[in-house]
């Protein structure tokens, strides 16, 4: 990687990879309208849940702008939703909370054919579109802001969480670039900044997270020890310094993710807290199973050397070849085609074939 | 650089043909009827499995005797630093597409702008882009100045000896082709059986005065003196006349 043009092309290629992994805007909007309908159904006047003022809101990658397609390259996106009910934890059991949401969903003619029961959530399968995971939650009155309680997988204990707060923290970690990109986007479509929804903006942090997650999905391919997305996202957001350049951001993130102060607690145990709720340790399992941190670090160093090897390639078609094994053939090809078509439409590069004997350049 | 009406028509035709491949190059009429074709030249060239896409802002100067002689070209986007190492002529900042005879010879194959731009300008710019990327000139390059010129003629004539180059150039400079004389390359054959046909071909591309000029450059570069009989056998007639004249006025100079 030598010239600016080559760097730009490498950046564009990476951005296209992230874009190809992302949920298209039209699908995003469709998902929003779908979960709003679910919310309306749960809160309808004849609903038993109506008195608890149920609301549905997204959490995780859908709300962070860090979605990635599944590795089989299907177009079915996982959308994680919180179903928030205003109930005091002393007035309801974990199982009842889960079941009352499931019961109401099953009352709907459409939903009852799409519903699947999970350990603590309900999944609505929209064929060829989405898997909507609906996680029942109640307020955590001991905390402020948007802290919630959710049930654990055995329906025995309340777990603390704060997806709304986390999303705000995540945006805050990329505030500078986020505002810049949003303003630039507004200008390009001749709109007011206030009228541009957040989900239309993508920063190098979001794209880097998408690239990391994709690499992880391919690297672990079905292995249960794969690091969870929230750990990758949190560490990446800590390491991000509002770099405007995707490649630079990615490199700094990969190098910065292993900083001990973001990984370990004061007693030396693994501690990657939800920045908006110190009681939620994303790395809790790492302290019980030493394999988890071990494979995390092994994966990260593999990712590092894969990216370094790709950037060594000077020719775009060689970069493509080195991306295929690490990001998958389908995604890489889509990204590559997009790269070719954008270079072709912004400018025509007539193909020239020489037929004469070359003149050797000279100078007086 | 003044073009008459027929020439103008021809240039305009050639520009139109050029634009079918490179639409961003436009004809610009300068003062005194001087013609310049300018704009952005973008290209994609595949060479040894590597694809180079690049673009340069250029100006092409159409000479008054076009299409007898090829145009000259400047890169005006400051993409190529003005340096001999980048094959930019220090005198007029034009691109040095090759040794003068070579440029004329390649141009003469079609004598139009499309050919010139594709085969010579794009070839040059592609080589520059390629070198930036991979560190080598894909089709080689000549040394600067007279050294490079000598190198070019040695390769062109397939001879090793500097004197053989001078001997062959002398024939072109004197415009004095005699097929029965021994070939200056020392092969022992007659000129018509050796370099003769080749000399007859290349003298079509360049005037005797141009060959004379190049001969003298090489001669002076070799710095062998004019005096020995051996040396003088390789000098063109015009030069020998000059030497004789100088000899006659030499004593006067010494008196001063």
């Amino acid at each position: 990687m030598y010239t600016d043009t080559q760097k730009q092309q490498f950046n564009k290629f990476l951005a296209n990879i992230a874009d190809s992994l992302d949920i298209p805007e039209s699908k995003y909007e469709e998902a929003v309208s779908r979960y709003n309908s679910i919310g309306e159904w749960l809160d309808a006047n004849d609903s038993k849940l109506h008195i608890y003022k149920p609301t549905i809101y997204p959490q995780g990658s859908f709300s962070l702008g860090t979605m990635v397609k599944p590795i089989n390259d299907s177009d079915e996106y996982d959308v994680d939703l919180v179903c928030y009910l205003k109930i005091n934890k002393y007035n309801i059991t974990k199982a009842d909370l889960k079941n009352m949401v499931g019961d109401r969903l099953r009352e709907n003619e459409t939903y009852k054919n799409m519903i699947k029961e999970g350990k603590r959530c309900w999944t609505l399968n929209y064929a060829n579109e989405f898997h909507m995971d609906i996680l029942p939650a109640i307020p955590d009155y001991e905390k402020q802001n948007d802290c919630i309680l959710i049930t654990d997988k055995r329906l025995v204990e309340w777990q603390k969480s704060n997806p709304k707060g986390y999303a705000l923290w995540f945006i805050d970690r990329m505030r500078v670039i986020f505002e810049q990109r949003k303003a630039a986007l507004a200008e390009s479509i001749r709109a007011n900044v206030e009228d541009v929804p957040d989900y239309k903006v993508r920063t190098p942090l979001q794209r880097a997270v998408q690239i990391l997650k994709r690499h992880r999905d391919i690297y672990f391919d079905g292995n249960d020890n794969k690091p969870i997305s929230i750990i990758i996202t949190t560490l990446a957001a800590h390491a991000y310094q509002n770099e405007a350049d995707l490649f630079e951001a990615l490199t700094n993130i990969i190098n910065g993710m292993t900083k001990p102060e973001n990984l370990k607690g004061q007693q030396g145990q693994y501690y990657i807290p939800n920045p908006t709720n110190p009681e939620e340790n994303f790395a809790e399992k790492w302290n019980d199973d030493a394999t988890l941190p071990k494979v995390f670090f092994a994966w990260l160093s593999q990712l590092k050397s894969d990216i370094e090897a790709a950037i060594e390639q000077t020719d775009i078609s060689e970069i493509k070849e080195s991306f295929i094994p690490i990001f998958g053939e389908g995604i890489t090809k889509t990204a590559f085609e997009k790269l070719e078509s954008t270079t072709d439409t912004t400018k025509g590069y007539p193909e020239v074939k020489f037929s004469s004997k070359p003149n050797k350049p000279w100078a007086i | 650089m003044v073009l008459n009406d027929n020439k103008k028509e021809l240039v305009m035709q050639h520009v139109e043909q050029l634009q079918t491949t490179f639409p961003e190059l436009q004809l610009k009429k300068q003062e005194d009827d001087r013609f310049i074709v300018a704009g952005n030249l973008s290209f994609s060239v595949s060479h040894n499995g590597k694809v180079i896409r690049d673009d340069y802002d250029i100006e092409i100067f159409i000479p008054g005797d076009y299409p007898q002689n090829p145009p000259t070209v400047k890169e005006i986007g400051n993409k190529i630093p003005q340096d001999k190492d980048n094959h930019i002529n220090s005198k007029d900042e034009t691109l040095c597409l090759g040794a003068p005879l070579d440029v004329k010879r390649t141009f003469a194959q079609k004598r139009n702008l499309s050919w010139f731009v594709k085969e010579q300008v794009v070839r040059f710019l592609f080589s520059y882009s390629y070198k930036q990327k991979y560190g080598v000139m894909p089709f080689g390059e000549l040394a600067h100045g007279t050294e490079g010129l000598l190198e070019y003629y040695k390769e062109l004539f397939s001879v090793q000896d500097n004197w053989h180059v001078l001997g062959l150039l002398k024939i072109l400079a004197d415009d004095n082709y005699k097929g029965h004389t021994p070939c200056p390359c020392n092969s022992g054959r007659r000129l018509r059986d050796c370099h003769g046909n080749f000399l007859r071909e290349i003298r079509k591309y360049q005037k005797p005065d141009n060959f004379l000029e190049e001969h003298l450059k090489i001669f002076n570069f070799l710095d062998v003196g004019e005096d020995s009989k051996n040396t003088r056998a390789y000098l063109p007639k015009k030069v020998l006349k000059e030497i004789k004249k100088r000899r006659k006025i030499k004593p006067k100079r010494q008196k001063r």
Side-chain angles (χ1 to χ4, degrees):
Chain A
M1 203 54 32
Y2 306 103
T3 66
D4 285 351
T5 329
Q6 284 170 290
K7 249 189 196 162
Q8 267 176 26
Q9 232 179 358
F10 192 77
N11 256 329
K12 245 191 211 161
F13 204 156
L14 283 176
N16 286 351
I17 295 263
D19 269 353
S20 317
L21 294 168
D22 216 328
I23 181 168
E25 276 184 19
S26 58
K27 273 263 167 105
Y28 179 96
E29 283 157 10
E30 207 180 308
V32 174
S33 103
R34 294 260 197 253
Y35 71 66
N36 282 339
S37 303
I38 300 172
E40 280 164 27
W41 174 254
L42 298 176
D43 191 31
N45 287 331
D46 59 346
S47 165
K48 276 181 194 154
L49 305 182
H50 183 67
I51 48 164
Y52 307 120
K53 299 193 171 68
T55 49
I56 293 265
Y57 61 84
Q59 63 159 334
S61 60
F62 189 86
S63 65
L64 303 175
T66 57
M67 297 268 279
V68 292
K69 266 189 185 179
I71 46 172
N72 61 17
D73 282 343
S74 76
D75 283 322
E76 298 190 356
Y77 297 87
D78 291 321
V79 180
D80 292 329
L81 302 168
V82 171
C83 172
Y84 178 78
L85 301 170
K86 280 208 157 176
I87 305 176
N88 193 300
K89 68 173 175 181
Y90 300 111
N91 297 339
I92 194 163
T93 68
K94 289 103 195 165
D96 285 348
L97 173 67
K98 184 191 165 194
N99 289 331
M100 64 198 284
V101 173
D103 290 346
R104 175 60 186 167
L105 287 170
R106 278 202 212 90
E107 282 172 33
N108 184 293
E109 288 303 312
T110 315
Y111 298 152
K112 75 176 182 195
N113 298 318
M114 300 156 64
I115 200 163
K116 224 186 109 199
E117 189 172 355
K119 279 180 182 153
R120 56 175 174 179
C121 68
W122 299 97
T123 303
L124 292 182
N125 287 317
Y126 294 78
N128 302 320
E129 287 187 325
F130 315 104
H131 305 286
M132 299 226 175
D133 281 349
I134 301 163
L135 178 67
I138 57 169
D140 181 356
Y141 287 115
E142 289 159 21
K143 298 256 174 175
Q144 283 161 358
N145 300 328
D146 299 304
C147 288
I148 55 171
L149 296 173
I150 53 178
T151 77
D152 70 344
K153 286 190 179 162
R154 294 167 298 139
L155 303 177
V156 190
E157 277 174 72
W158 293 113
Q159 283 186 343
K160 294 167 193 287
S161 187
N162 186 359
K164 273 191 177 177
Y166 184 90
L168 290 173
W169 170 81
F170 185 76
I171 286 198
D172 217 44
R173 291 296 308 159
M174 55 186 191
R175 179 66 64 194
V176 179
I177 290 291
F178 188 81
E179 300 300 345
Q180 273 176 21
R181 294 278 155 103
K182 201 172 179 179
L185 184 62
E187 206 177 292
S188 74
I189 56 171
R190 291 159 199 269
N192 293 323
V193 180
E194 309 84 68
D195 297 336
V196 176
D198 286 357
Y199 75 84
K200 288 186 185 265
V201 181
R202 284 290 178 272
T203 67
L205 171 60
Q206 289 165 312
R207 285 181 156 150
V209 170
Q210 289 173 311
I211 288 165
L212 291 166
K213 283 166 69 176
R214 177 59 169 203
H215 188 275
R216 170 206 62 184
D217 289 344
I218 303 253
Y219 179 96
F220 286 94
D221 189 22
N223 183 320
D224 285 340
N225 290 329
K226 76 173 183 182
I228 53 177
S229 296
I230 194 77
I231 286 185
I232 294 173
T233 310
T234 307
L235 293 177
H238 278 303
Y240 183 60
Q241 300 296 331
N242 277 294
E243 292 91 347
D245 181 286
L246 176 55
F247 172 64
E248 202 188 321
L250 186 63
T251 315
N252 292 349
I253 285 170
I254 294 172
N255 290 324
M257 274 171 84
T258 47
K259 274 192 185 166
E261 64 260 39
N262 295 326
L263 286 170
K264 297 237 172 156
Q266 285 176 346
Q267 280 81 43
Q269 83 288 21
Y270 287 107
Y271 178 62
I272 305 169
N274 179 338
T276 59
N277 189 351
E279 287 176 51
E280 189 179 6
N281 178 10
F282 299 139
E284 210 172 277
K285 283 189 184 164
W286 285 21
N287 294 314
D288 304 328
D289 183 353
T291 316
L292 297 177
K294 205 177 128 197
V295 296
F296 170 80
F297 292 117
W299 160 66
L300 209 55
S301 81
Q302 182 63 47
L303 169 63
K304 195 176 167 181
S305 64
D306 284 346
I307 295 289
E308 279 166 0
I311 196 110
E312 280 300 308
Q313 309 300 324
T314 46
D315 199 86
I316 201 72
S317 56
E318 288 163 7
I319 294 173
K320 177 184 141 195
E321 292 307 315
S322 58
F323 276 177
I324 286 177
I326 60 174
F327 298 127
E329 192 169 1
I331 288 294
T332 306
K333 284 195 171 158
T334 312
F336 184 72
E337 276 159 25
K338 210 176 136 200
L339 187 74
E340 297 237 288
S341 69
T342 46
T343 11
D344 282 346
T345 49
T346 46
K347 207 160 177 351
Y349 288 84
E351 210 180 309
V352 177
K353 281 185 184 142
F354 304 126
S355 54
S356 64
K357 191 173 159 285
N359 297 166
K360 286 181 182 173
W362 180 58
I364 297 172
Chain B
M1 294 278 248
V2 178
L3 302 174
N4 63 34
D5 285 350
N6 285 342
K7 286 276 170 68
K8 262 187 232 169
E9 185 110 341
L10 181 80
V11 170
M12 273 150 78
Q13 270 178 23
H14 284 185
V15 171
E16 250 173 60
Q17 188 197 356
L18 175 70
Q19 286 171 335
T20 58
T21 317
F22 304 106
E24 287 179 60
L25 294 176
Q26 305 283 338
L27 181 63
K28 286 184 183 156
K29 200 179 152 195
Q30 298 289 99
E31 286 168 35
D32 314 330
D33 274 2
R34 281 157 32 114
F35 278 90
I36 292 180
V37 176
N40 187 270
L41 174 64
S42 57
F43 55 84
S44 152
V45 174
S46 154
H47 179 72
N48 288 343
K50 320 254 188 225
V51 178
I52 298 271
R53 279 164 198 257
D54 216 336
D55 65 282
Y56 291 86
D57 290 327
I58 59 160
E59 277 180 354
I60 303 171
F61 299 86
I62 313 287
D65 56 5
Y66 179 89
Q68 184 54 43
N69 271 317
T72 52
V73 186
K74 280 186 193 176
E75 190 271 322
I76 55 166
N78 289 325
K79 216 165 157 176
I80 308 179
Q82 303 280 340
D83 191 323
K84 277 187 185 175
D85 286 343
N86 295 332
H87 305 289
I88 309 275
N89 286 320
S90 46
K91 215 166 44 180
D92 57 4
E93 297 177 355
T94 56
L95 308 182
C96 197
L97 304 172
L101 177 66
D102 214 13
V103 174
K104 289 172 194 157
R105 202 174 161 214
T106 303
F107 178 67
Q109 287 185 42
K110 293 278 169 72
R111 295 194 193 279
N112 67 49
L113 270 177
S114 269
W115 171 261
F116 174 71
V117 170
K118 268 193 198 172
E119 295 292 331
Q120 301 183 267
V121 182
V122 171
R123 173 98 72 170
F124 179 96
L125 297 171
F126 158 74
S127 299
Y128 182 79
S129 302
Y130 189 93
K131 192 183 177 182
Q132 297 309 298
K133 217 172 165 184
Y134 301 109
V136 289
M137 294 289 279
F139 309 112
E141 61 192 315
L142 294 171
H144 305 150
T146 312
E147 192 189 345
L149 198 61
L150 180 59
E151 186 188 325
Y152 165 69
Y153 275 115
K154 278 184 176 173
E155 197 186 315
L156 186 72
F157 294 140
S158 312
V159 296
Q160 304 292 318
D161 194 314
N162 298 335
W163 293 103
H164 297 163
V165 171
L166 288 176
L168 290 162
L169 282 178
K170 173 180 153 70
I171 294 169
L172 295 161
D174 288 344
D175 197 18
N176 184 22
Y177 176 83
K178 290 196 176 94
H180 62 276
T181 54
C183 188
C185 78
N186 237 350
S187 62
R189 283 180 284 174
R190 288 182 297 184
L191 189 56
R192 74 160 68 92
D193 299 325
C194 193
H195 279 84
N197 285 338
F198 188 62
L199 293 186
R200 283 156 63 123
E201 189 223 317
I202 60 174
R203 71 176 176 182
K204 288 188 291 193
Y205 308 125
Q206 196 164 271
K207 287 183 184 132
D209 278 355
N210 298 128
F211 284 114
L212 177 67
E213 199 187 316
E214 293 183 338
H215 180 291
L216 289 178
K217 268 190 192 159
I218 294 173
F219 185 82
N220 291 329
F221 171 75
L222 293 173
D223 198 22
V224 285
E226 299 166 342
D227 283 333
S228 80
K229 263 194 177 173
N230 186 32
T231 309
R232 283 159 74 170
Y234 289 95
L235 284 171
K237 282 176 191 163
K238 276 189 185 171
V239 181
L240 289 170
K241 269 186 204 165
E242 281 294 310
I243 292 173
K244 275 181 194 165
K245 264 193 222 165
R246 266 191 276 158
R247 288 266 157 82
K248 279 174 191 165
I249 53 173
K250 238 181 188 174
K252 282 181 192 171
R253 272 188 187 167
Q254 280 176 342
K255 270 180 194 171
R256 262 182 219 170

